[in-house]
Amino acid sequence: TDPISLQLGTENLCGCLVRLLSKDPEWLSAKMKFFLPNMDLGSGDQSPDPTQRVIQQLSKLHTQGQSTWQEFIHCVCMELDVPLDLEVPLLSIWGHGDGFPRQLDIGEESQPDSQLHPGLKRPHQSCGSSPRPKQFKKQEQELAKRYLQLLRTSARQRYADRTPRPGQPLAFPQVYIPPILQWSRASAPFDAQEGAVTGDPKAEDGTDVNIWDLFNTKANRGPRVTVLLGKAGMGKTTLAHRLCQKWADGQLDRFQALFLFEFRQLNMITGFLTLPQLLFDLYLRPEAGPEAVFEYLQENANGTLLIFDGLDEVFQTAGPEDPASALTLFSRLCRGTLLPGCWVMATSRPGKLPACLPTEVATVHMWGFDGPRVEEYVSRFFNDQPSQEAALAELRADRRLWSMCALPALCRVACLCLYHLLPGSSPGQSAALLPTMTQNYVQMVLTLSPQGFLPAESLLGLGEVALQGLETGKIIFSAGDIPPPVMAFGAALGLMTSCVCMGPGHQETGYAFTHLSLQEFFAALHLMASPQVDKDTLSQHVTLTSRWVQRSKARLGLIDHLPTFLAGLASCACRPFLSLLAQQDEAWVGTKQAAVVQALRKLATRRLTGPKVVELCHCVGETQVPELAGFTAQSLPHQMPFHNFLLTYTDLAALTNILGHRDAPIHLDFEGCPLEPRCPEALAGCGQVENLSFKSRKCGDAFAKALSRCLPTMGSLKKLGLAGSKITAQGISHLVQALPLCPQLEEISFRDNQLKDWEVLSIVEVLPCLPRLRKLDLSLSNVSVSTLLSLTNVAVTCPTVRMLQVRKADLIFLLSPPTETATELQGDPDLRGNANQRKEAQRRSLALRLQKCQLGVHDVEVLIAQLREGPHLDEVDLSGNQLEDEGCQLMAEAAPRLHIARKLDLSSNGLSLAGACRVLSAVSMCRTLAELHVSLLHKTVVLKFAPEPEEQEVIQKRAAFPGSLTFQMPSDPLPCAPRIRLTHCALQAQHLEHLCKALGGSCCLRHLDLSGNALGDKGVALLAQLLPGLGALQSLNLSENDLSLDAVFSLTQCFSTLPWLVHLDFSSESQRVILRGDGRDRDLSAAGSLPEFQAGAQFLGFGQRRISRSFCLRECQLEPLSLSRLCETLEKCPGPLEVKLSCKVLSDQSLETLLHHLPRLPELSLLQLTQMELSPRSPLLLADIFSLCPRVQKVDLRSLHHATLHFRSSEEQEGGCCGLSANLLGDAGLRCLLECLPQVPISGSLDLSHNGVSQESVLYLVETLPSCPRIREASVNLGSKQSFWVHFSRQEEARKTLRLSECSFGPEHVPRLATGLSQALWLTELTLTQCFLGLEQLTILLGLLKWPAGLLTLRVEEPWVGKAGVLTLLEVCAQASGNVTEISISETQQQLCIQLEFPHHENPEATTLRLAHCDLGTHHSLLARQLMETCARLRQLSLSQVNLCEASALLLQSLLLSLSELKNFRLTSSCVSSSVLAHLTSGLSHCHHLEELDLSNNQLGEEGTKVLTGALEGKCWLKRLDLSHLPLGGSTLVALTQGLSHMTLLQSLRLRAATSLEELGLSHNQIGDTGAQNLAAVLPGLPELRKIDLSANGIGPAGGARLAECLPLCRHLEELMLGYNALGDPTALGLARGLPRHLRVLHLTSSHLGPEGALSLGQALDGCPHMEEISLAENNLAGGVPHFHLGLPLLRQIDLVSCEIDNQTAKPLTASFVLCPALEEIMLSWNLLGDDAAADLARVLPQMGRLKRMDLEKNRITAYGAWLLAEGLAQGSGIQVIRLWNNPIHPEMVERLQSQEPRLDFAFFDNQPQVPHGT
């Protein structure tokens, strides 16, 4: 019995197994290849007998070990039709681990090594290259030849049979379609002679590289390394095997040897590894002589190709230089240190490649399939024609499935699914089952599964193995890693493949999933369907990974599509499948799916990088959840950048799919990304993309072609960018055809594409077809001069071009779309060329900038011819070319005819001095020239122009005002005022006559700059004679011309010969010489917005004004002779004149000379000596100037370096000011000066601040007061301010004021201070502020002060005053030597004020006691008696901000009972209880002679108010009553009005704070109509009432009308304030019928008045002789503004703010202002006034002599109206400010207008003082 019979138990079973396998030899051969992939199964020594061949094959399987044998037995039972009586013993004996036989002897000898596959042979021990004798050379070559033939034969056998077998469900015919290959680096050139890509980046883009081109590089030395990059599923491994197969077939004949290694197998090698071991032990061992074979390979390395598949899967467990590392061998092969000259090819997913690769490595991108390749693959996959057509129809109908087929691996899966789904299904039904990548895989599993049965346990088992492999980084599994039933299931369905993993000394069979993505799919299945995986664990696997090309991570992880598969399984369509697989209900599955969706939603809220966004789009698209897709789309930022990572067609398709759910536009920016050439097609129809930008050298013609196909479908695209690419003429031609189909484009950028002439011109030709285009950027292109001129012709003729800029690398078109719509512009060409559009083209302006373009004279002639026929030019910049004198002259001569609006730049064109003069002559008569700047030193030639006369028409039309004020406009437009600047041109005196002759022809020359030349004194003297012939200049700059004082004297004479000269500024050291005209006449029209001011002034009819002139001389040596000569020239100068001199040293002799000439300068108004050193004697010389020159008003001597003398005009009164501040006088100097004061005729002020004085000077000042009767005030501060001022009067002053601050007086100073004060008999007020005068010193001072007669008010402000208390302060006051007539104590202000009357009387007639800001409290009885004695005749008692207690109230009650002559009583701002009120009321009831009672601002309730009003009984002498801010209710008010009828002498009643006399103030209460009617009943009994204030009281028309009826009875009423009440027109009409005769003030602000009421009031007010103030603000007076015919002679202020007054309404009002000669303030802000109203106001301003302020804020006045107001201001000297804030005036014009007229105030805050009433 044989051993197998023993193992099976019976001979019959053994025979049955052998007979069963003999029936299906193909199945057995397929399984042999699966389990023994590298074994040579075709040896010739196999038995011809089929039965013996089966026995031999079973023996070989047996030798692989127990696991392989068990898996084989499972495959037999699962895949073959095995009888039950054979299946049971097979599974029971060999299907488990305990049944494996120790040996399997079938009568055959063990196979010798020579018959095994070379890969399974035992490793040899030595493959060294030891030297051998020469006689063996031939033998060695023969061995090598035999080995190379063996290599080719082995490879041919491996790929010989690819037909499908029943045991291989996935083994369809091996369809191979070459994928798209693209070179990534230009450093990998090809052989041009072979017809491949040359490597020139400018030629082609390297797309669609032939498979044979991968090894056609020119490199003949060093390493030749190619890396093939492609995402998972692109077919990298397939391509590697394809190369091996083609080499085996002899098609890659340049290589003698080819070796293919997979890193997934090399990773499992842990032992020592050398290159011979890698080649011979791991691949194929020579039959003999391995040393000779290896030596031959070394000698012929250039014929050896080594392919390493899966470089991204390498494990770096060892160091890079570890000789045991497979990566180390790969690194040395790439660098050429091993097998130098060999060819190396590696495949990898995109990512950071290992550092072992050389820098010159050639990288090739694999992009998968495009449309034709997909169709070809499908056609070859399906054998019959109907199936092909049906499959293609399904794919074409489903865009998403079509885009997924761009991935070759997924295309194969889709075809497999369609193969099984198409039969029996209707059109479109099959593709509907394959909407996502995940569902393709699901459908594949269902297709491969047995009919009607889903092997859930096996699928989950595969999923568990797959997940463990991903988590541990394992791709190849050993037999022990996979349970045999699971292994058998995977092998049966073709889901797993086998391989032999070998190392030196060992071999092992490994198993792997047919593709890495398949392993990820099964791992996702396990995560979703396994009950052991909870939701948290599942969510942790939903992650996004950045796949940057250049990141530090050296090895990519295995997890690539796992999150995508999880997202796909979360689709509702997968729920039944998962439920069946997990054997759970759909609710359980839905919970897990919801966890995945929620995890994706969280990821969508984060700020993700570009790679993560793409991966997220893949995941979200797989879920098929519209709500999640919409949320993700809306969460994407507006600007979405994608930088430096690989993108495929499927990536952009996923992004486009998500963007389809977005509402807002998005900007996509791709920079530095390797892009699949056809990926733009994925964006077709995406309406959300607004900006699309690509910047990559990897984009070429194929990319441009794909882009051109999708552009017309993107209807929202506005900005397109394709920069930095390798696009050529072919790609441009595609884009040019597509661009006219995109009329919505607004910006196109093709910069940095190295475009040639033809490409640039073809792009520019489409400009007329893009009506909305605003910018075209063609920078960094290579264009010739002729092409450049063609571009200028396009810019001239194309009606939308606004600018063409060409400078070095820049080539940019800026365009302005016309107002017509794109549809209109795309109509009939005849319509586009009609007259209206030609007129529009003529109105446009074009800017042309051709800088550094090598243009010559001939080119300029062509350019001028083009521009003459073109539109108006905004700017022409030809700087940096080669025009020279002739070209510049041509351009200058042509400039007047070219309609240039702003600038012509001819700088850096080789212009000479002679050429500059020719240019000047050429443009001298140009009426639009604004400025010519020529600087030969700086190579500057710039001509600036003003607006054309046609453009000035708008300004001239605005100058014609309606009505009586009309202008006599000249028939010709105003010429421009040019500025000529000829700086640093080496001009000399001999050039001036020719220059002035050329300038004399200039139109209205205003500014001339000749600085930086070489004129010298001689040239300036000549120029001074020639200047009158140049007209009225506004400025002349002669700086840096090597001038001396002689030139100054020549120029000074121009003051009398040049009427325009106003300011002359000369600086010797800095050589600054400036002559300027009147600042008011500066030409603001340079900005093109205003006519010339002087002309405007003449039009307005303003008279001549007196212009002040100034002469400034700096940094000069001023000797007496020079000063005399200077003063003589200044004597003829018209005035007023200001002279400012500065020099290093001014001697006394020079100063005396200057001062003696001053009386002969009658127009001198100011003399300033600054930045010079004066002698110590100079103050005395300056002090004598008052007697020498009576016109001196003030001398300000701040130091010996600065002195200013102010002169008065003959009309002004005498009086001057002398300033000696900031000197070093000290106490001694000040004493000497004070001694001279009585003799100095000073009538102004004397400033002695900052002179280092002490208390001694203060005391001496006090002692000086009696001897200086004209001193009216003196103030000294010895603190930080250091001020010391003495003010004088013209006559002797009877009242003097002395203020001393921070003087730090000590006890020793007090007696001397008191003595000095006692002698100053005219001193009426003394203020001591923080002088460190303590309580004791103040007591001493009060006791020592003694006067014969008079009043003295002493104020002391010290910190201790607020802390000392009232009792202490009163005790101090009692020590005064005179009578205390007034005491004021303010604790919060830390102030004590005492009024003393001399001489002392025992019973004073009048005594005043004021206790302010203090708590009265309970006083000592002695103090009470002293108060009673002191205040027996007290007439005024004032208590403010006090807290009255019970004791204080009792004291006041007793005091009031004793004050029979009390006239005034005040209790204000205090907190008073009801009991205190009772005491006060009791005391006040005995004060029958009270004339003034003030109870305002107290915190009282309504009951307390009633108690206080009880004190009013019997007060028939009361004249003033103030009850402001008291709670007056209806009953209280009625009682009050009844009591008022008994007060016949009452002049003022205030219920709110007021200062006017005889008034009734009830403002800001709520008396309403009822209160107003009650008040109207009382008014007839108050005939002396002068002021009524009922503002803001809620009075309506009924109450207002009743008041209007009674007001005529108030015959003395002067002020009526009824504002902020809803009175309406009925009240206004009632007032108009009976206005009081003496009315001075009428306020009806915000009273709901309309035009009718306002006009009636205006008629009633017209001619009122006493009216001073009218306020009708905030009423709607449109069309009803009051105006006057008789006038109001005393009207000072009129307020019409926010009354909706427009230009037309303002005309009669403005005319009325002339009839109000006393007007000081006009308020017209927040109205609708424009320039017409401003013109009317400007016309009347000169006639309003007393007007000080006008408010025109928030109106519609432009710069022109403001300029007219400035001209009017020039004639109204008394006006202080015109407010113009928030009018539509440009800030630049604001600045100019304010410099012209500082009284125009444009600020938000009012910087001017308010007009005081009554001035």
Side-chain angles (χ1 to χ4, degrees), residues 331-345:
S331 172
R332 294 177 179 176
L333 286 171
C334 292
R335 295 178 179 175
T337 57
L338 281 181
L339 210 60
C342 72
W343 296 75
V344 179
M345 174 180 169

PDB file of all heavy atoms in Angstrom, residues 331-345:
ATOM      1  N   SER A 331      19.507  52.092  -3.451  1.00  0.00           N
ATOM      2  CA  SER A 331      20.150  53.402  -3.426  1.00  0.00           C
ATOM      3  C   SER A 331      21.478  53.372  -4.168  1.00  0.00           C
ATOM      4  O   SER A 331      21.790  54.276  -4.945  1.00  0.00           O
ATOM      5  CB  SER A 331      20.359  53.836  -1.970  1.00  0.00           C
ATOM      6  OG  SER A 331      21.142  54.996  -1.895  1.00  0.00           O
ATOM      7  N   ARG A 332      22.273  52.323  -3.954  1.00  0.00           N
ATOM      8  CA  ARG A 332      23.591  52.249  -4.609  1.00  0.00           C
ATOM      9  C   ARG A 332      23.448  51.993  -6.098  1.00  0.00           C
ATOM     10  O   ARG A 332      24.271  52.483  -6.899  1.00  0.00           O
ATOM     11  CB  ARG A 332      24.420  51.168  -3.951  1.00  0.00           C
ATOM     12  CG  ARG A 332      24.781  51.501  -2.508  1.00  0.00           C
ATOM     13  CD  ARG A 332      25.546  50.377  -1.843  1.00  0.00           C
ATOM     14  NE  ARG A 332      25.911  50.742  -0.463  1.00  0.00           N
ATOM     15  CZ  ARG A 332      26.518  49.917   0.392  1.00  0.00           C
ATOM     16  NH1 ARG A 332      26.812  48.670   0.021  1.00  0.00           N
ATOM     17  NH2 ARG A 332      26.817  50.321   1.606  1.00  0.00           N
ATOM     18  N   LEU A 333      22.440  51.259  -6.484  1.00  0.00           N
ATOM     19  CA  LEU A 333      22.201  51.083  -7.917  1.00  0.00           C
ATOM     20  C   LEU A 333      21.839  52.408  -8.578  1.00  0.00           C
ATOM     21  O   LEU A 333      22.298  52.713  -9.680  1.00  0.00           O
ATOM     22  CB  LEU A 333      21.079  50.062  -8.121  1.00  0.00           C
ATOM     23  CG  LEU A 333      21.423  48.589  -7.865  1.00  0.00           C
ATOM     24  CD1 LEU A 333      20.166  47.743  -7.883  1.00  0.00           C
ATOM     25  CD2 LEU A 333      22.418  48.071  -8.904  1.00  0.00           C
ATOM     26  N   CYS A 334      20.994  53.213  -7.886  1.00  0.00           N
ATOM     27  CA  CYS A 334      20.591  54.507  -8.457  1.00  0.00           C
ATOM     28  C   CYS A 334      21.762  55.469  -8.545  1.00  0.00           C
ATOM     29  O   CYS A 334      21.846  56.263  -9.492  1.00  0.00           O
ATOM     30  CB  CYS A 334      19.475  55.115  -7.608  1.00  0.00           C
ATOM     31  SG  CYS A 334      17.916  54.214  -7.705  1.00  0.00           S
ATOM     32  N   ARG A 335      22.617  55.429  -7.565  1.00  0.00           N
ATOM     33  CA  ARG A 335      23.750  56.361  -7.550  1.00  0.00           C
ATOM     34  C   ARG A 335      24.934  55.882  -8.395  1.00  0.00           C
ATOM     35  O   ARG A 335      25.897  56.634  -8.559  1.00  0.00           O
ATOM     36  CB  ARG A 335      24.204  56.580  -6.119  1.00  0.00           C
ATOM     37  CG  ARG A 335      23.154  57.278  -5.249  1.00  0.00           C
ATOM     38  CD  ARG A 335      23.624  57.429  -3.838  1.00  0.00           C
ATOM     39  NE  ARG A 335      22.623  58.124  -3.018  1.00  0.00           N
ATOM     40  CZ  ARG A 335      22.736  58.314  -1.708  1.00  0.00           C
ATOM     41  NH1 ARG A 335      23.799  57.863  -1.066  1.00  0.00           N
ATOM     42  NH2 ARG A 335      21.779  58.941  -1.043  1.00  0.00           N
ATOM     43  N   GLY A 336      24.865  54.640  -8.879  1.00  0.00           N
ATOM     44  CA  GLY A 336      25.935  54.146  -9.739  1.00  0.00           C
ATOM     45  C   GLY A 336      27.102  53.549  -9.006  1.00  0.00           C
ATOM     46  O   GLY A 336      28.114  53.232  -9.646  1.00  0.00           O
ATOM     47  N   THR A 337      27.015  53.374  -7.713  1.00  0.00           N
ATOM     48  CA  THR A 337      28.119  52.722  -6.989  1.00  0.00           C
ATOM     49  C   THR A 337      28.055  51.205  -7.120  1.00  0.00           C
ATOM     50  O   THR A 337      29.061  50.533  -6.891  1.00  0.00           O
ATOM     51  CB  THR A 337      28.068  53.114  -5.503  1.00  0.00           C
ATOM     52  OG1 THR A 337      26.792  52.756  -4.967  1.00  0.00           O
ATOM     53  CG2 THR A 337      28.254  54.617  -5.341  1.00  0.00           C
ATOM     54  N   LEU A 338      26.910  50.655  -7.440  1.00  0.00           N
ATOM     55  CA  LEU A 338      26.756  49.236  -7.775  1.00  0.00           C
ATOM     56  C   LEU A 338      26.283  49.144  -9.218  1.00  0.00           C
ATOM     57  O   LEU A 338      25.394  49.888  -9.650  1.00  0.00           O
ATOM     58  CB  LEU A 338      25.730  48.565  -6.860  1.00  0.00           C
ATOM     59  CG  LEU A 338      26.183  48.177  -5.446  1.00  0.00           C
ATOM     60  CD1 LEU A 338      25.038  47.519  -4.708  1.00  0.00           C
ATOM     61  CD2 LEU A 338      27.374  47.251  -5.470  1.00  0.00           C
ATOM     62  N   LEU A 339      26.889  48.220  -9.962  1.00  0.00           N
ATOM     63  CA  LEU A 339      26.532  47.988 -11.350  1.00  0.00           C
ATOM     64  C   LEU A 339      26.456  49.304 -12.116  1.00  0.00           C
ATOM     65  O   LEU A 339      25.410  49.663 -12.683  1.00  0.00           O
ATOM     66  CB  LEU A 339      25.182  47.247 -11.406  1.00  0.00           C
ATOM     67  CG  LEU A 339      24.972  46.322 -12.611  1.00  0.00           C
ATOM     68  CD1 LEU A 339      26.040  45.222 -12.631  1.00  0.00           C
ATOM     69  CD2 LEU A 339      23.593  45.692 -12.559  1.00  0.00           C
ATOM     70  N   PRO A 340      27.537  50.083 -12.121  1.00  0.00           N
ATOM     71  CA  PRO A 340      27.493  51.395 -12.778  1.00  0.00           C
ATOM     72  C   PRO A 340      27.152  51.267 -14.254  1.00  0.00           C
ATOM     73  O   PRO A 340      27.662  50.402 -14.947  1.00  0.00           O
ATOM     74  CB  PRO A 340      28.907  51.937 -12.566  1.00  0.00           C
ATOM     75  CG  PRO A 340      29.754  50.738 -12.295  1.00  0.00           C
ATOM     76  CD  PRO A 340      28.881  49.732 -11.610  1.00  0.00           C
ATOM     77  N   GLY A 341      26.242  52.164 -14.688  1.00  0.00           N
ATOM     78  CA  GLY A 341      25.797  52.177 -16.072  1.00  0.00           C
ATOM     79  C   GLY A 341      24.513  51.434 -16.310  1.00  0.00           C
ATOM     80  O   GLY A 341      23.966  51.489 -17.417  1.00  0.00           O
ATOM     81  N   CYS A 342      24.016  50.732 -15.309  1.00  0.00           N
ATOM     82  CA  CYS A 342      22.771  50.000 -15.503  1.00  0.00           C
ATOM     83  C   CYS A 342      21.587  50.953 -15.520  1.00  0.00           C
ATOM     84  O   CYS A 342      21.680  52.116 -15.141  1.00  0.00           O
ATOM     85  CB  CYS A 342      22.603  48.953 -14.400  1.00  0.00           C
ATOM     86  SG  CYS A 342      22.219  49.676 -12.781  1.00  0.00           S
ATOM     87  N   TRP A 343      20.431  50.449 -15.952  1.00  0.00           N
ATOM     88  CA  TRP A 343      19.188  51.206 -15.984  1.00  0.00           C
ATOM     89  C   TRP A 343      18.330  50.778 -14.802  1.00  0.00           C
ATOM     90  O   TRP A 343      18.186  49.581 -14.531  1.00  0.00           O
ATOM     91  CB  TRP A 343      18.429  50.971 -17.282  1.00  0.00           C
ATOM     92  CG  TRP A 343      19.166  51.462 -18.484  1.00  0.00           C
ATOM     93  CD1 TRP A 343      20.239  50.872 -19.075  1.00  0.00           C
ATOM     94  CD2 TRP A 343      18.876  52.627 -19.234  1.00  0.00           C
ATOM     95  NE1 TRP A 343      20.668  51.600 -20.150  1.00  0.00           N
ATOM     96  CE2 TRP A 343      19.836  52.696 -20.276  1.00  0.00           C
ATOM     97  CE3 TRP A 343      17.914  53.629 -19.137  1.00  0.00           C
ATOM     98  CZ2 TRP A 343      19.844  53.715 -21.218  1.00  0.00           C
ATOM     99  CZ3 TRP A 343      17.918  54.639 -20.074  1.00  0.00           C
ATOM    100  CH2 TRP A 343      18.884  54.693 -21.096  1.00  0.00           C
ATOM    101  N   VAL A 344      17.755  51.759 -14.126  1.00  0.00           N
ATOM    102  CA  VAL A 344      16.914  51.484 -12.971  1.00  0.00           C
ATOM    103  C   VAL A 344      15.576  52.172 -13.191  1.00  0.00           C
ATOM    104  O   VAL A 344      15.524  53.350 -13.551  1.00  0.00           O
ATOM    105  CB  VAL A 344      17.553  51.970 -11.650  1.00  0.00           C
ATOM    106  CG1 VAL A 344      16.616  51.672 -10.476  1.00  0.00           C
ATOM    107  CG2 VAL A 344      18.901  51.302 -11.429  1.00  0.00           C
ATOM    108  N   MET A 345      14.513  51.430 -12.968  1.00  0.00           N
ATOM    109  CA  MET A 345      13.172  51.998 -13.041  1.00  0.00           C
ATOM    110  C   MET A 345      12.430  51.621 -11.769  1.00  0.00           C
ATOM    111  O   MET A 345      12.509  50.482 -11.314  1.00  0.00           O
ATOM    112  CB  MET A 345      12.417  51.488 -14.268  1.00  0.00           C
ATOM    113  CG  MET A 345      10.961  51.930 -14.334  1.00  0.00           C
ATOM    114  SD  MET A 345      10.118  51.297 -15.795  1.00  0.00           S
ATOM    115  CE  MET A 345       8.439  51.703 -15.381  1.00  0.00           C
TER     116      MET A 345
END
